Amino acid sequence: MGITLTDDKFIPHYNPETMETNLPGLYLAGVVCGGLDTHLWFIENSRVNADMIIADILLKR
Ligand SMILES: Cc1cc2nc3c(=O)[nH]c(=O)nc-3n(C[C@H](O)[C@H](O)[C@H](O)COP(=O)(O)OP(=O)(O)OC[C@H]3O[C@@H](n4cnc5c(N)ncnc54)[C@H](O)[C@@H]3O)c2cc1C
């Protein structure tokens, strides 16, 4: 889709404040944010992504 990935672990580029990728309007949530480091993301630390994304979308309306 054109999201920038790191060379080594395919970690996608996103704004850690909003979860928005390098493509405006395209957001990431959950374990996909870890690229190959899926062990770093759990329900506990990824469910907040939804609130961050909605907050950013509402801010831009
Ligand atoms: C064995 C195991 C135990 C775990 N135990 C815990 C735990 O105790 N506590 C905890 O917090 N976390 C635990 N986790 C991690 C937790 O499961 C994940 O962090 C969480 O499921 C990530 O949610 P997600 O929505 O990002 O991704 P997933 O839950 O992986 O959801 C992604 C969805 O996208 C679908 N999909 C994939 N490709 C496509 C496509 N091209 N088109 C359409 N749909 C697609 C998949 O089928 C899947 O349904 C565990 C994980 C595993 C594997």
Side-chain angles (χ1 to χ4, degrees), residues 15-51:
N15 176 339
E17 307 290 320
T18 65
M19 305 311 293
E20 189 172 27
T21 66
N22 54 296
L23 300 173
L26 184 59
Y27 297 82
L28 294 177
V31 75
V32 70
C33 301
L36 296 179
D37 276 348
T38 54
H39 61 285
L40 298 176
W41 289 85
F42 300 89
I43 297 168
E44 277 96 344
N45 66 355
S46 62
R47 60 195 174 98
V48 293
N49 294 344
D51 296 331

